[in-house]
DNA sequence: GTCTCCAAAAATATCGATATTATTTGACTT
DNA sequence: AAGTCAAATAATATCGATATTTTTGGAGAC
């Protein structure tokens, strides 16, 4: 009934706000891996009460960005090369399944959505890096969401976030321009629009593996 | 101060207790799918304060057993045939990966663990159903945990739980004895001990598919 | 000099109460 | 009679304070 254009659904609760901010800080490395997260300290940083902070930390636990030690508070999830490689492996596995299913369900509405997301991503690529981050994720998720498998999509989204955390940690988020990412995205998009599952999944996985190798090499230093 | 009779290190926090109890109630269907979960009502049921209940619900959200509607509280996750089929599909995919990797890392220590878990499961099968539930999960997780992939293992564990929920909902947890489950487990165990990845994964997936078909048929009624 | 044990300090977990926000009820208008 | 708006009600979200628990720091013993 309400004519609410979903441009902005007021998601304003202290908890949600704290969640978003903390998540950002962990993903970008502002809160470094392994760091103890004391309620009192965060309460000051986020300018809110202890309950929202506590609940936000609880939510971040599900995203595997925060670890909870019973009776001993929270800490930012640690990182390791093993963990990174597991994330990469799982992404390749799960996103392949999702993309194949998405393509099997292909429709012109989905194709339109893809083209749009891709366009927005390219546009954002010329402007602020922060906009690009969101648009990039939106494009990748759009590739997968036509599978209509909510659990799978959720896992992919989680793993995507865990991965960009490593990107920030390794290269301060500037690892994009080192390679011709645009061409890779174009190839994936074209293959998806052709409904060519083989080609699309191959390009997608290559895309991830390449970034994976790059980050792995960065992690040595 | 208090003379606790429990031999083990008591994982006693109000939150953890509430979490365990609520989880149990949702898995067994005591709290039916889709039901609104009001803090006040649960506070009475669990005999604890509002904060632990709230936090337990938050934790259950990560297990996808509870849904949170921003500013509008919590409800038990709904069920659907679609959801069930997605769970089955993901389990087959992820557990195959995990089992193959486990077998690739096979060691005699792992084999010992497997044999033990299997034995315990068989023993528990003759006694209370509740004991069997835990032992059954422990056996299945032992098959996978030698992969040493914590994220993957976590997903498998989550999906396992979501699946047993459907089992309870469909058949009140008594669906075991309808088929010769023991033989199926024995086949999986033997193949794993032979380090025969092909055979082990085939039997494991057959095991799941068969239970899946059985439950699917039950869900019609 | 190192270890152990106890007291002090800090941090977390929990509670009770209040402020916000959604939902329902019921009267009033059309 | 149906729809709409506003007050009443119920539930959630948040706060401030207290009770546990863990960690720290130091004094005494070996």
């Amino acid at each position: 009934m309400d004519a609410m254009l979903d441009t902005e659904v007021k998601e304003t609760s202290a908890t949600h706000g704290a969640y978003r901010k903390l998540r950002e800080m962990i993903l970008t490395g502002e809160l470094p891996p392994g760091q103890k997260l004391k309620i009192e300290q965060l309460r000051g940083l986020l300018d809110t009460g202890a309950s929202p902070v506590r609940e936000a930390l609880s939510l971040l636990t599900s995203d595997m960005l925060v670890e909870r030690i019973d009776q001993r508070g929270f800490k930012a999830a640690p990182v390791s090369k093993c963990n990174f490689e597991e994330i990469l492996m799982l992404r390749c596995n799960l996103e392949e399944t999702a993309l194949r299913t998405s393509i099997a369900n292909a429709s012109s509405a989905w194709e339109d959505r893809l083209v749009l997301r891709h366009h927005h991503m390219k546009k954002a690529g010329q402007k602020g890096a922060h906009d690009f981050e969101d648009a990039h994720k939106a494009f990748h998720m759009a590739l997968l969401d036509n599978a209509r498998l909510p659990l799978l999509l959720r896992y992919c989204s989680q793993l995507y976030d865990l991965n960009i955390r490593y990107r920030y940690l390794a290269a301060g988020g500037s690892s994009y321009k080192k390679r011709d990412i645009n061409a890779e995205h174009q190839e994936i998009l074209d293959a998806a629009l052709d409904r060519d599952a083989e080609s699309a999944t191959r390009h997608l996985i290559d895309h991830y593996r390449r970034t994976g190798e790059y980050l792995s090499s960065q992690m040595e230093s």
Side-chain angles (χ1 to χ4, degrees), chain A:
Chain A
M1 262 319 177
D2 50 348
M4 186 168 283
L5 302 181
D6 67 356
T7 50
E8 222 166 334
V9 187
K10 269 185 132 185
E11 279 270 17
T12 175
S13 72
T15 296
H16 198 79
Y19 170 74
R20 299 268 300 181
K21 216 176 232 169
L22 278 176
R23 176 196 163 91
E24 179 92 8
M25 291 206 285
I26 292 172
L27 285 182
T28 59
E30 195 175 336
L31 289 173
Q35 172 156 322
K36 184 96 210 300
L37 301 174
K38 303 184 191 178
I39 308 275
E40 199 54 29
Q41 159 201 329
L42 297 176
R43 212 191 61 76
L45 249 161
L46 301 171
D47 188 40
T48 183
S51 307
V53 170
R54 205 179 163 65
E55 195 148 339
L57 288 170
S58 225
L59 291 175
L60 287 164
T61 300
S62 8
D63 300 338
M64 290 176 291
L65 289 169
V66 163
E67 277 187 9
R68 170 184 201 146
I69 316 130
D70 201 72
Q71 225 82 352
R72 225 164 299 179
F74 302 86
K75 71 172 182 182
V79 295
S80 69
K81 198 166 183 186
C82 262
N83 182 242
F84 175 71
E85 279 160 8
E86 186 180 359
I87 290 165
L88 179 60
M89 181 273 284
L90 286 172
R91 287 183 85 200
C92 288
N93 183 343
L94 294 178
E95 293 212 14
E96 169 158 1
T97 307
L99 182 53
R100 291 195 115 95
T101 314
S102 253
I103 290 175
N105 295 340
S107 67
S108 60
W110 177 55
E111 290 170 2
D112 292 356
R113 231 161 52 229
L114 274 187
V115 171
L116 227 78
R117 293 296 180 197
H118 184 252
H119 173 67
H120 289 156
M121 181 179 65
K122 280 209 301 191
K123 206 169 64 180
Q126 291 147 1
K127 304 197 297 184
H130 192 279
D131 277 351
F132 179 73
E133 205 55 84
D134 290 347
H136 184 243
K137 179 169 181 182
F139 172 65
H140 274 281
M141 289 303 124
L143 281 167
L144 312 176
D145 71 8
N146 205 48
R148 285 151 205 273
L149 296 169
L151 290 179
L152 179 55
L153 203 68
R154 183 186 156 126
Y155 286 149
C156 288
S157 169
Q158 263 184 20
L159 292 167
Y160 180 96
D161 289 342
L162 290 176
N163 188 69
I164 70 173
R165 182 175 181 223
Y166 278 94
R167 197 166 57 216
Y168 275 109
L169 293 173
S174 67
S175 69
Y176 281 121
K177 285 145 194 165
K178 317 266 176 178
R179 243 175 46 235
D180 191 3
I181 291 287
N182 282 344
E184 292 179 27
H185 284 143
Q186 190 69 54
E187 284 174 333
I188 300 168
L189 175 65
D190 288 344
L193 293 178
D194 284 348
R195 307 190 179 182
D196 181 345
E198 292 307 320
S199 169
T201 54
R202 197 179 56 247
H203 281 120
L204 183 66
I205 289 182
D206 281 355
H207 178 55
Y208 288 147
R209 290 254 160 77
R210 245 174 273 176
T211 350
E213 276 165 31
Y214 175 73
L215 289 184
S216 258
S217 72
Q218 290 279 312
M219 282 175 76
E220 314 288 88
S221 51

